[in-house]
Structure formats: structure tokens, C-alpha cells
């Protein structure tokens, strides 16, 4: 059985030149439009006819017309080339105006902190954009997984990625409900946590328990790492926070992620002097080269939003909600 061989890519330029000639029915007009010499076009056509072993044009010194084979080829090429021109044009428009789908790999806390609050405003500003959030708590290879961007803490980024900070420096906050502290007292050092019900977070991707890390506020700067030994384990931070608000126990979470509860007084922060700031969330992309307008729009939006988060951090997390701040 005969099978069609793949067409050689070397034919494509000559086919495009032929289509221009056929559309104008003139070497001179086609050459003028494409800003090449008439002789160059004639050479391209001659080479194409030799490769295909078929005559495509009838031509004399005054007139030119398509052969039957030439007409059949042009009829097939014209819509295909028009489709290619539209696709190339749309790519150019995408570079000028944010449009299309942005696939974002992110953790749930990052999505709730950075994407969900401003999503309505962002999509209203760019009505041709769509967002797809791919959530997990492990670092993703966005290139291998066909994603556009990722959002992760700075400490977990691949050094080869281009990363832009989209939050201020963060701290891990130890928080609990006022009623819990009334019953169990306020821990003054990390060692006191051994007598408290410390709720755990288990990472879905790795299956490990998130450990609580502290740095002593004295000149020695000792590092203390504890694995919480409470009576409940979670793999969803919202569920964990709800348990804390209900007075079940203490939890560790990113300070900006509990700013609302701290402002409302449903949670109170302790051991703040023991919690050292660390690099916050970053938006990361494979490269800055030929960055699509849609990615640039998202990056600019999150960088602008960072300024608001910095102000909120000063206003809320620097307030009197931090119980035991001087201990």
C-alpha cells in the first residue's frame, strides 16, 4: 500500500512565493509587494517546478496564467496560508494586548493570599484573559508540565528560574484563639509549646509534617525546630485555621494569611520575637525573553498588589494583636 511521504520543509518558502505570484497574476506586482527582485521570484518558481516536476504557470513576455495543476495547488494553498497569516497576526496581537489563557501553578495559601482577592479586578481590567489555577504544595516544573507561571516561596525556587517578589518579607506566626489561651496560658518560649496542643499540617505532595522553626531573639540566634504533636493533622490550611479559631489548639501559618483573624481578634499571635522574617512569595517564569503580554500583565498586577500587602503588614501585624511580643 502506498503511503504519503512527509513534505520537505524546504518546499515551504517556494510555495509561499508561488502563492503570492498566483494571487497577483504578475511577477512584477508580487515582487513589489514582497520587496524582492522579479528575477529572485522567477528563480524561486523555477526551482519549485523542478522539485515538483510539474509546470505551474503559463508565461510569455506579456501574459501569465495558471496551469490546471497550478490552479489546483493555489486553491489548496490560499486558505492554508491565510490561516497561517491569521495565526501569526494573533500572536502579534497577543504580544501587544493581554489575551488568552494563563495556567498558574500555586499553593493554596498563595492562591488565597495573592490571586483570589484580586481576581475580579484583574479579569475586569483584562477581559480577554482567562486563568487556570493548578494547586499543589510542591515545587512544579512549569515548563515540563505545560504551565505559564508559578508562585512559590523564595526559599523553594529553582535558581535557574526568573523570579519576581510579589509579597514583602514574611514570618511564620504561631496563633491561637483567645479562649484557648485563657484555658492553657501563653507560651513564652518554644519549649513551652510541649505543654500545648499544636496542630499539624501535612504536605499533600511529600506527605511530610510541616515543622515549626524558631530563632532565638538573643545575640546567639539559636535555631530550634519542633514537630507539632497535637491531636489533629490537616492538609488544608483553611480547615486548620478554623480549628484554631474554635479553640482546638495552636497553629503555625504565614503572618499575612492570618491578618484578617488577627484584625478581628478571633486569633492572637504569640512568640513573635522567635519568628524570623524570610523571603516571601515569588512569581516565577522560565525566561524574560519574548514575555507574552498576558504574563507581563499578571506580573505587573501582583507587583502593584505587593505594595498594598506591605501596608497591611505594617497596619495589622504591627498592632497590639501580637500577645507576648516583649517576651
Amino acid at each position: 500500500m502506498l503511503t504519503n511521504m512527509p513534505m520537505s520543509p524546504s518546499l515551504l518558502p517556494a510555495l509561499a512565493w508561488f502563492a503570492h505570484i498566483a494571487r497577483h497574476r504578475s511577477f512584477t506586482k508580487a515582487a513589489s509587494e514582497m520587496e524582492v527582485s522579479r528575477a529572485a521570484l522567477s528563480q524561486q518558481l523555477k526551482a519549485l517546478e523542478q522539485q515538483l516536476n510539474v509546470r505551474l504557470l503559463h508565461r510569455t513576455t506579456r501574459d501569465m496564467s495558471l496551469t490546471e495543476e497550478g490552479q489546483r495547488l493555489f486553491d489548496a494553498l490560499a486558505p492554508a496560508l491565510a490561516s497561517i497569516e491569521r495565526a501569526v497576526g494573533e500572536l502579534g496581537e497577543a504580544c501587544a494586548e493581554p489575551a488568552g489563557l494563563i495556567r498558574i501553578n500555586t499553593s493554596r495559601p498563595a492562591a488565597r493570599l495573592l490571586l483570589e482577592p484580586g481576581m475580579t479586578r484583574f479579569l475586569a481590567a483584562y477581559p480577554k484573559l482567562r486563568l487556570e489555577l493548578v494547586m499543589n504544595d510542591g515545587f512544579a516544573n512549569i515548563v515540563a508540565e505545560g504551565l505559564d507561571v508559578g508562585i512559590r516561596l523564595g526559599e523553594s525556587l529553582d535558581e535557574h528560574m526568573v523570579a519576581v517578589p510579589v509579597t514583602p518579607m514574611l514570618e511564620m506566626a504561631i496563633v491561637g484563639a483567645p479562649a484557648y489561651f485563657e484555658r492553657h496560658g501563653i507560651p513564652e518560649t518554644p519549649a513551652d509549646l510541649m505543654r500545648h496542643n499544636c496542630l499539624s499540617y501535612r504536605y499533600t505532595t511529600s506527605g511530610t509534617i510541616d515543622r515549626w522553626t524558631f530563632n532565638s531573639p538573643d545575640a546567639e540566634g539559636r535555631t530550634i525546630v519542633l514537630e507539632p504533636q497535637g491531636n489533629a493533622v490537616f492538609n488544608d490550611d483553611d480547615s486548620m485555621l478554623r480549628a484554631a479559631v474554635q479553640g482546638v489548639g495552636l497553629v503555625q501559618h504565614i503572618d499575612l494569611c492570618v491578618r484578617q483573624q488577627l484584625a478581628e481578634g478571633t486569633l492572637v499571635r504569640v512568640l513573635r520575637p522567635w519568628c524570623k522574617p524570610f523571603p516571601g512569595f515569588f512569581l516565577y517564569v522560565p525566561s524574560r525573553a519574548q514575555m507574552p503580554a498576558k504574563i507581563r500583565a499578571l506580573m505587573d498586577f501582583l507587583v502593584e498588589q505587593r505594595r498594598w500587602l506591605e501596608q497591611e503588614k505594617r497596619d495589622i501585624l504591627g498592632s497590639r494583636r501580637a500577645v507576648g511580643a516583649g517576651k
Side-chain angles (χ1 to χ4, degrees), residues 109-126:
R112 289 167 184 149
L113 174 64
L114 300 172
L115 299 174
E116 294 174 8
M119 188 176 293
T120 299
R121 187 159 45 95
F122 178 69
L123 292 176
Y126 303 105

Side-chain angles (χ1 to χ4, degrees), residues 174-196:
I174 309 301
V175 296
Y180 175 90
F181 292 120
E182 290 175 7
R183 295 194 306 270
H184 301 284
I186 297 173
E188 298 183 1
T189 69
D192 296 338
L193 293 175
M194 302 302 294
R195 301 190 297 273
H196 286 265

Side-chain angles (χ1 to χ4, degrees), residues 12-299:
L12 293 175
L15 289 171
W17 290 121
F18 163 70
H20 284 297
I21 297 168
R23 184 169 68 245
H24 289 289
R25 296 297 197 273
S26 165
F27 279 95
T28 302
K29 291 180 180 178
S32 175
E33 179 189 61
M34 303 308 297
E35 298 182 350
V36 296
S37 70
R38 188 181 185 284
L41 274 187
S42 180
Q43 189 62 36
Q44 287 283 348
L45 181 66
K46 182 178 179 181
L48 178 63
E49 289 179 325
Q50 288 176 344
Q51 284 182 280
L52 298 179
N53 195 28
V54 66
R55 189 171 185 83
L56 299 173
L57 295 178
H58 296 301
R59 47 196 184 276
T60 66
T61 55
R62 293 186 177 184
D63 300 305
M64 187 200 79
S65 63
L66 294 173
T67 65
E68 180 182 353
E69 293 80 8
Q71 186 66 56
R72 190 162 61 244
L73 179 60
F74 177 65
D75 289 343
L77 285 176
L81 289 173
S83 178
I84 292 172
E85 288 176 356
R86 283 195 300 272
V88 172
E90 288 170 2
L91 286 177
E93 291 174 3
C95 293
E97 180 182 2
L101 175 66
I102 306 177
R103 302 190 70 221
I104 308 171
N105 178 270
T106 176
S107 65
R108 289 182 178 85
R112 289 167 184 149
L113 174 64
L114 300 172
L115 299 174
E116 294 174 8
M119 188 176 293
T120 299
R121 187 159 45 95
F122 178 69
L123 292 176
Y126 303 105
K128 293 184 178 181
L129 281 180
R130 294 183 298 129
L131 299 180
E132 179 178 345
L133 307 188
V134 181
M135 297 193 195
N136 63 55
D137 52 27
F139 183 78
N141 185 328
I142 56 176
V143 176
E145 297 180 23
L147 304 168
D148 295 296
V149 301
I151 299 177
R152 282 292 177 269
L153 291 173
E155 59 192 23
S156 62
L157 285 175
D158 186 323
E159 63 180 7
H160 300 295
M161 287 290 171
V162 175
V164 176
V166 290
T167 67
M169 295 285 284
L170 301 176
E171 297 174 10
M172 298 307 294
I174 309 301
V175 296
Y180 175 90
F181 292 120
E182 290 175 7
R183 295 194 306 270
H184 301 284
I186 297 173
E188 298 183 1
T189 69
D192 296 338
L193 293 175
M194 302 302 294
R195 301 190 297 273
H196 286 265
N197 190 35
C198 298
L199 309 181
S200 304
Y201 181 87
R202 186 184 300 279
Y203 292 109
T204 304
T205 304
S206 65
T208 60
I209 293 291
D210 185 26
R211 296 187 173 188
W212 297 11
T213 301
F214 301 94
N215 294 92
S216 63
D218 55 32
E220 295 181 12
R222 292 170 291 113
T223 299
I224 301 170
V225 180
L226 302 175
E227 183 168 313
Q229 301 292 331
N231 59 9
V233 180
F234 303 83
N235 70 352
D236 177 76
D237 60 307
D238 265 5
S239 297
M240 184 178 67
L241 285 179
R242 284 193 292 270
V245 169
Q246 293 167 15
V248 176
L250 304 183
V251 301
Q252 174 188 255
H253 209 334
I254 296 168
D255 54 4
L256 280 178
C257 291
V258 295
R259 67 194 189 283
Q260 181 178 348
Q261 291 87 346
L262 293 176
E264 294 170 349
T266 55
L267 289 177
V268 176
R269 184 174 179 182
V270 297
L271 297 175
R272 185 170 183 179
W274 292 81
C275 300
K276 181 181 179 181
F278 60 90
F281 285 107
F282 286 71
L283 179 78
Y284 66 94
V285 296
S287 170
R288 289 185 185 274
Q290 288 85 45
M291 183 179 291
K294 61 181 181 180
I295 306 303
R296 172 59 62 185
L298 178 64
M299 183 179 291

